[in-house]
Each structure stands twice: as structure tokens, then as C-alpha cells.
Amino acid sequence: MPAKRSPDFLLVLLILSLLAFGLIMVYSASAVWADYKFGDSFYFVKRQLLFALIGVMAMFFLMNIDYWTWRSWGKLILIFCFLLLVLVLIPGIGTVRNGSRSWIGVGAFSVQPSEFMKLAMILFLAKYLAENQKKMTFFAKGLLPTLLLVMSAFGLIMLQPDLGTGTVMVATCVLMIFVSGARIIHFLLLGMAGIAGFVLLILSAPYRIQRITAFLDPWQDPLGNGFQIIQSLFAIGPGGLFGLGLGQSRQKFFYLPEPQTDFIFAIVAEELGFIGASFALLLFALLLWRGIRTAINAPDLYGSFLAVGIIAMIAIQVMINIGVVIGLIPVTGITLPFFSYGGSSLTLTLMAAGILLNISRHAKI
């Protein structure tokens, strides 16, 4: 391995900039609801700031741990996360929110095991793909075992159910497998099977059918299933070029449900306009660029696959979240990395960023 150097400074700056931007927007988006529900307009941002501090400490800690350390721990971490996915399904251990049993309570806080499964799967797959890259051109010996593992985790996540997180995990893993050299024809055949399975998942749950219907024509049920996307578009439209001004959102006054979570980008667009929203997207685009650069220049296959998985996880989540907010895809319940309120998601993202930063310390340039 080459001698360690300082981490990619621009990558560090982008991560901290996105985090600071996100904290400002969490306060702006949540202040009204927090004051109404808890009598404290800082309720959500204080909790988010706590998780941000924990996440940043974890990020800098992991940034200083050689990334190949995780080769020997990846399997144990994956098994532990599988165990958590089973435990969260047990009544009395798992906590139900918005119809999903996705959280395990820890004191006044809770953790979401499916979030950590995303990183665990990346850690394990990076090692597997690095050691078995030549096998990935074969369906039975290479591609099938990895997909069975990924779909086992997806199945447990769907029992909660949490289609959004499961989709991000599967998409990230598929991209890692594709980059490893798997044959396109195998993906085309599996893609057709996947589409059929996805349709069955949608048809198996009435609320998913309602989300599809609301996506196609939200005005068919403007006070029900179409309400959230309509209010999101009502937030984005008036934002115009420069926005209504920071803190001046109208939709956060009990129109857009819980605007500090999945639909926080709508508040960004409303308050900061096209310019502010584009600046946020530019930060994400630069983060993607530096992440890809880190993957290309990693000193070994393991580092490359690990970097690809981490940056793919973030990028896929950004694309799905913003696609939902602007009405391009149905509502899925995916958070916007670094922005949306949520301790598990923010901490996991910053931990993953720490591993990516360590890979950048060993880059060949």
C-alpha cells in the first residue's frame, strides 16, 4: 500500500458543507411543527445536531482507520445486521411508525437497522467481489450467490415493510456487481424478473397501489394519497428563481406533512428558489465526482468496490428523493442524505463518508 497522505480536502469540505446546509434547513423546515407539537422550535434541530456531532466524530474516527481493516470484519458486521433485521420484526423490540416496524428503541432514541444493513452489505460485497471478480461473468458461480444474499436482506426489510430503503440497498449492490464485470445479458434477464417481482410487490399492498395512482394523477385524491406530492409542488412553484427567503416557507405551516424529513428539498426550493436548490444539487454532483475519482484511484480492487458502493448509495438516494419531491417517481419514503431529519440515516451516511475519506488517503494520485 502507498504511504498515507491527507484525505481529499475537497471531499471533506463538500461533506461538511452539505451537513451544515442540511442542519440549517432542518431548523427552517421543522421550527413551526416543533413549536406546535413540543413547544420548542429547536426540538428537531437539536436532536439532528446531536446525531451530526456523533456522526462527524465517527467520520473522523473511521477516516483514520485503514479501510482494508474492514475486510476481516465485513462478514461479522453483516451477520449482526441480519440479526437486527430479525429482532426489529419482534413485537416489543421493534417499534412501529407510520405502519412500518423499522425501528429499535434505545432510551429516548431509536435506530433503524435497515439503514445500517446498506453499509454492511457494501462492506461484505466489496470483499467478495474483489476476491471473486473472475467468477462474476458466470451466473451460477458468481452472480447468483451474491443476488441471493442481497435478496435475503431485501426480503427481511420488506417484512417491516420499507420498500424505499430496500430499493436503495438493492440498487447499490446491483451497481457494484455490474462494475465488477458481470455480463449485461444476465442483468437484462434478471431485470425482467425484477420488474415482474416489483409489480407483484406493488400489487400485494393496497397502499403501494394508491401511491402509484397518486403519482399518475395526484388530483384524483387531493386530500388523501395525492396530498403530499401536491403540497410539495405547491412549495417548489412559488420559490421561483431566488425563493421566498430563508425561513419564509408557507408550506411548512401544516400544509406539507413533516417537511423536515423526506420532503425537505421542497422547502429548500421554496425558500431558496432555483438558485438555492441548484446549489444543493451542485454540492451533491461534486461529491459524486470526488467519490468516483477516489474509486478510480484506489490502490486495490477492494478499495475501488468499497468506494463505488458508498458513493452509489448516496447518489441513488439523492436521485430517488429528489425524483419523488418533484413528482418524477412515486412516493417511496427515502431521506435526502445530509439534509433530512433522522439520526440513523445521518449517522450511517457520515460513517460511510469516513470510510470513503480513508480510501482517498491511500489513493494513487
Side-chain angles (χ1 to χ4, degrees):
M1 290 289 177
K4 284 195 296 185
R5 56 179 65 87
S6 297
D8 186 333
F9 175 75
L10 181 54
L11 190 54
V12 175
L13 183 61
L14 288 166
I15 291 166
L16 295 179
S17 297
L18 283 164
L19 181 61
F21 197 168
L23 286 169
I24 292 170
M25 293 313 304
V26 165
Y27 171 69
S28 181
S30 68
V32 174
W33 176 245
D35 185 60
Y36 169 77
K37 189 172 183 179
F38 301 102
D40 178 7
S41 61
F42 291 92
Y43 177 83
F44 289 108
V45 74
K46 285 190 296 188
R47 293 166 71 91
Q48 187 78 341
L49 181 59
L50 174 61
F51 281 111
L53 291 173
I54 294 172
V56 168
M57 288 191 291
M59 181 181 79
F60 282 106
F61 175 73
L62 294 174
M63 185 180 75
N64 290 289
I65 295 180
D66 292 335
Y67 69 87
W68 57 83
T69 302
W70 304 111
R71 290 187 71 140
S72 57
W73 287 94
K75 186 175 181 179
L76 288 175
I77 293 172
L78 183 66
I79 292 172
F80 179 70
C81 287
F82 264 109
L83 178 61
L84 289 179
L85 286 182
V86 173
L87 289 176
V88 79
L89 298 173
I90 301 174
I93 298 179
T95 303
V96 178
R97 295 182 188 175
N98 299 322
S100 296
R101 189 181 296 277
S102 302
W103 288 264
I104 295 178
V106 180
F109 298 93
S110 58
V111 295
Q112 191 174 0
S114 57
E115 286 287 341
F116 293 93
M117 174 54 86
K118 293 187 297 187
L119 182 56
M121 193 63 73
I122 290 169
L123 292 173
F124 179 82
L125 269 189
K127 176 178 183 291
Y128 180 86
L129 294 174
E131 294 176 351
N132 299 276
Q133 187 183 22
K134 292 182 179 179
K135 292 182 180 179
M136 299 313 296
T137 55
F138 299 97
F139 181 79
K141 292 193 296 183
L143 184 59
L144 184 59
T146 57
L147 289 179
L148 288 175
L149 178 67
V150 173
M151 296 313 295
S152 296
F154 179 72
L156 286 173
I157 292 172
M158 285 308 302
L159 291 176
Q160 297 176 10
D162 187 356
L163 179 60
T165 302
T167 300
V168 171
M169 184 198 68
V170 171
T172 300
C173 294
V174 166
L175 185 58
M176 291 177 68
I177 294 169
F178 178 75
V179 170
S180 74
R183 297 175 63 186
I184 294 179
I185 185 63
H186 292 159
F187 277 102
L188 291 175
L189 295 174
L190 288 170
M192 290 187 287
I195 291 172
F198 199 73
V199 170
L200 289 175
L201 280 175
I202 292 173
L203 295 177
S204 67
Y207 78 91
R208 295 190 191 119
I209 298 175
Q210 292 167 357
R211 285 183 176 181
I212 297 295
T213 303
F215 162 68
L216 296 173
D217 183 11
W219 290 101
Q220 183 178 335
D221 188 12
L223 297 179
N225 294 305
F227 183 78
Q228 201 164 22
I229 185 59
I230 289 173
Q231 299 308 315
S232 177
L233 296 176
F234 277 169
I236 295 170
L241 186 61
F242 298 105
L244 302 178
L246 184 63
Q248 301 304 309
S249 166
R250 299 165 185 158
Q251 291 302 108
K252 67 183 179 184
F253 283 86
F254 313 113
Y255 293 103
L256 183 61
E258 298 196 44
Q260 72 277 7
T261 54
D262 302 347
F263 281 79
I264 195 169
F265 189 75
I267 303 301
V268 173
E270 184 183 16
E271 294 189 347
L272 304 180
F274 178 80
I275 300 297
S278 296
F279 179 68
L281 292 178
L282 176 62
L283 291 178
F284 280 120
L286 290 172
L287 182 70
L288 176 62
W289 164 52
R290 300 307 286 189
I292 293 173
R293 181 177 179 272
T294 299
I296 292 172
N297 293 292
D300 58 7
L301 278 175
Y302 175 68
S304 292
F305 288 133
L306 195 53
V308 165
I310 290 170
I311 202 63
M313 177 185 71
I314 295 173
I316 290 167
Q317 214 164 308
V318 170
M319 289 187 289
I320 293 177
N321 177 273
I322 293 177
V324 168
V325 169
I326 63 178
L328 288 180
I329 58 178
V331 175
T332 55
I334 291 291
T335 56
L336 182 62
F338 302 108
F339 276 74
S340 295
Y341 172 76
S344 294
S345 177
L346 181 61
T347 304
L348 178 280
T349 304
L350 288 169
M351 289 171 63
I355 297 173
L356 183 64
L357 287 169
N358 183 264
I359 299 172
S360 76
R361 298 186 69 181
H362 296 272
K364 291 181 289 188
I365 59 171

